[in-house]
Amino acid sequence: MRVLSAALSSQPSSAAAAYFPSSSKFHASPSASPCSTCSRFLGLKSVPTHKQHGSILANERGAKSLHSVFPTSPALVSSVDDLFQFILMGPLIEKLGFTQEKVAETIDKWILYGGYLCRLFRMNELTMTLPEKARIYHYYIPVFLWCEEQVQLHRSKFNEEKEIPPLMIGVSAPQGSGKTTLVFALDYLFRRTGRNSATLSIDDFYLTAEEQANLRSQNPGNALLELRGNAGSHDLQFSVDTLSKLSKLTKEGMKAKLPRYDKSAYGGRGDRADPSTWPEVKGPLTVILFEGWMLGFKPLPNDVVKAVDPQLELVNKNLEAYYDAWDKFVEAWIIIKIKDPSCVYQWRLQAEVAMRADGKPGMSDEEVLDFVSRYLPAYKAYLPVLYSEGPKGLDPNRLLVVEIDEARNPIS
């Protein structure tokens, strides 16, 4: 990784704009365009084309070694070759159709994006642990490259003269699975590569504190609707208005506020944040990252949900209106898959223990169990269908399923 550190330390902050312009394609002709980023990283006097780069790094049987091709030190070439081999070991490579040749042709992107994320998460390229390296090169960057392809596919459907609405990518993942951090990384990479992006969570559409109190009083004894979370505790008209407005941010000068929810308000019961604190996004908007723990859930037959938990029957009925409020706006989907919903309890407990260790207020173990128990019935009822069928109206070609383990790392 020494070559990465040396190159990134000299990389100007405008590198993304210089090498990855905000157009539908990064290079007009990948097979002939110079691989200038890799040349700078390796200190080359001559500039190999992407085609040459692919033949060099593919490292297939009979291919020449890196040492015999690049006129630079073996140590530097070995660093890039090691990274290349590490990337190919990733569990998402085959799923995404990334061949050795394709990774080789885009290795400059992997290096540049890796540098961006290391700085974002304050990692030192020289001392990255194996889990940190895997999180960057086996998870965040492959998913971002998939998102880039989805943006290009979306924009290719429109004439150049026509205003192009932003692509909405839905990220459905259980609580504590790392979806917020993933979206944070994707949003950062979009911005660094010249694309205007916005992020939203289903949490941003929760009812106000007063409305949630009314919902609680109207459903006495139903623990699933006592607090925010399940279907019925969101302002669906507010979400429709917001998502519709964002989808129309296609011109310079247009702008809109992104709603936010304050979970700490009213002693942790939460309330919609003051609109004066909401961030603002300006047009033209390229992509919207919309994440949530129950995004894509579909209503089921009553006997199915009652068998899980009788209190889920009303939640299931409320869910019927959610497609028109949320899912129909989503064109591409990322679904983070887990094997056992009980992981949610473990992840939440870890977070609260860490908060308490830092001297911050956090829930006790008993409070965590009570909190998560209000979500587990929905997980048990709806996750199997989400994993087997996908969201309503899904285009299978616009879906990426990432299965993760208990450590939140992607697995094959």
Side-chain angles (χ1 to χ4, degrees):
M1 297 298 289
R2 286 171 293 182
V3 64
L4 302 183
S5 179
L8 290 171
S9 63
S10 61
Q11 186 80 346
S13 59
S14 59
Y19 290 95
F20 306 111
S22 55
S23 60
S24 59
K25 295 182 179 180
F26 287 102
H27 297 289
S29 178
S31 62
S33 59
C35 191
S36 53
T37 301
C38 293
S39 302
R40 260 196 344 278
F41 273 42
L42 293 173
L44 302 182
K45 295 180 180 179
S46 59
V47 180
T49 65
H50 273 288
K51 185 175 182 180
Q52 292 170 330
H53 196 179
S55 65
I56 292 168
L57 291 179
N59 203 26
E60 295 176 313
R61 182 173 298 179
K64 295 182 178 180
S65 68
L66 289 171
H67 298 192
S68 64
V69 180
F70 281 119
T72 188
S73 71
L76 295 182
V77 175
S78 178
S79 295
V80 174
D81 191 26
D82 288 346
L83 177 61
F84 173 74
Q85 297 298 336
F86 184 79
I87 291 170
L88 293 179
M89 293 168 56
L92 298 181
I93 292 296
E94 184 176 351
K95 177 189 288 284
L96 296 175
F98 290 167
T99 62
Q100 288 191 4
E101 184 74 15
K102 186 173 182 179
V103 173
E105 290 177 350
T106 58
I107 191 66
D108 51 347
K109 287 187 183 181
W110 291 83
I111 293 173
L112 190 64
Y113 296 172
Y116 287 156
L117 292 178
C118 282
R119 289 196 291 273
L120 175 65
F121 294 114
R122 298 181 180 179
M123 297 178 185
N124 186 326
E125 296 94 336
L126 294 174
T127 60
M128 289 176 70
T129 65
L130 187 59
E132 289 173 341
K133 191 176 178 181
R135 187 64 57 92
I136 297 295
Y137 294 102
H138 288 175
Y139 194 2
Y140 295 159
I141 294 179
V143 171
F144 178 69
L145 292 174
W146 180 86
C147 290
E148 283 189 314
E149 291 181 352
Q150 295 301 312
V151 170
Q152 293 175 16
L153 178 61
H154 171 74
R155 298 180 73 82
S156 69
K157 297 178 180 180
F158 299 87
N159 297 326
E160 292 184 3
E161 300 80 13
K162 191 173 182 180
E163 296 175 6
I164 303 178
L167 168 69
M168 184 174 295
I169 300 176
V171 182
S172 180
Q175 297 149 310
S177 62
K179 65 180 178 300
T180 301
T181 306
L182 171 64
V183 168
F184 180 59
L186 297 177
D187 178 58
Y188 182 76
L189 288 176
F190 272 123
R191 292 177 180 275
R192 290 307 304 260
T193 54
R195 299 192 186 277
N196 194 16
S197 59
T199 63
L200 278 172
S201 167
I202 64 173
D203 296 357
D204 299 322
F205 300 125
Y206 279 137
L207 297 171
T208 64
E210 182 179 355
E211 292 167 337
Q212 182 63 47
N214 291 336
L215 178 67
R216 183 165 53 252
S217 64
Q218 293 167 8
N219 297 276
N222 191 327
L224 304 185
L225 294 175
E226 183 179 356
L227 302 175
R228 66 178 188 269
N230 284 289
S233 62
H234 302 87
D235 187 334
L236 299 187
Q237 186 58 54
F238 179 48
S239 69
V240 170
D241 294 343
T242 302
L243 298 178
S244 297
K245 187 173 183 178
L246 290 174
S247 67
K248 297 175 182 176
L249 289 185
T250 58
K251 297 180 181 179
E252 293 280 353
M254 301 180 73
K255 55 187 179 181
K257 290 273 194 175
L258 299 175
R260 292 294 184 256
Y261 191 83
D262 181 5
K263 294 182 179 180
S264 65
Y266 290 94
R269 289 187 177 270
D271 195 8
R272 191 170 299 161
D274 189 313
S276 65
T277 67
W278 297 356
E280 186 178 78
V281 63
K282 298 179 180 179
L285 195 59
T286 302
V287 61
I288 301 169
L289 298 166
F290 185 32
E291 56 100 346
W293 72 275
M294 55 170 284
L295 202 61
F297 283 11
K298 295 183 292 191
L300 301 172
N302 275 338
D303 58 337
V304 174
V305 297
K306 288 176 68 176
V308 175
D309 188 329
Q311 297 180 104
L312 201 58
E313 186 174 8
L314 182 54
V315 171
N316 190 61
K317 182 175 179 58
N318 293 335
L319 194 58
E320 295 174 359
Y322 275 63
Y323 171 78
D324 288 331
W326 291 353
D327 297 352
K328 76 174 184 181
F329 290 92
V330 177
E331 186 172 349
W333 287 89
I334 299 172
I335 294 178
I336 309 301
K337 181 179 179 181
I338 60 174
K339 289 185 177 181
D340 185 356
S342 65
C343 287
V344 175
Y345 170 73
Q346 299 172 12
W347 290 331
R348 185 72 191 196
L349 184 60
Q350 290 171 1
E352 296 299 326
V353 169
M355 288 179 63
R356 296 199 300 264
D358 288 341
K360 300 176 183 178
M363 290 187 288
S364 66
D365 293 1
E366 293 74 17
E367 290 172 330
V368 171
L369 180 61
D370 176 70
F371 176 82
V372 174
S373 68
R374 301 172 191 268
Y375 295 86
L376 285 179
Y379 284 133
K380 292 178 180 178
Y382 301 113
L383 281 183
V385 178
L386 179 67
Y387 296 157
S388 63
E389 300 179 3
K392 180 180 177 181
L394 170 73
D395 178 351
N397 296 319
R398 311 301 299 274
L399 169 67
L400 173 62
V401 178
V402 180
E403 185 169 357
I404 62 173
D405 59 20
E406 292 185 2
R408 305 178 184 87
N409 294 315
I411 56 178
S412 300

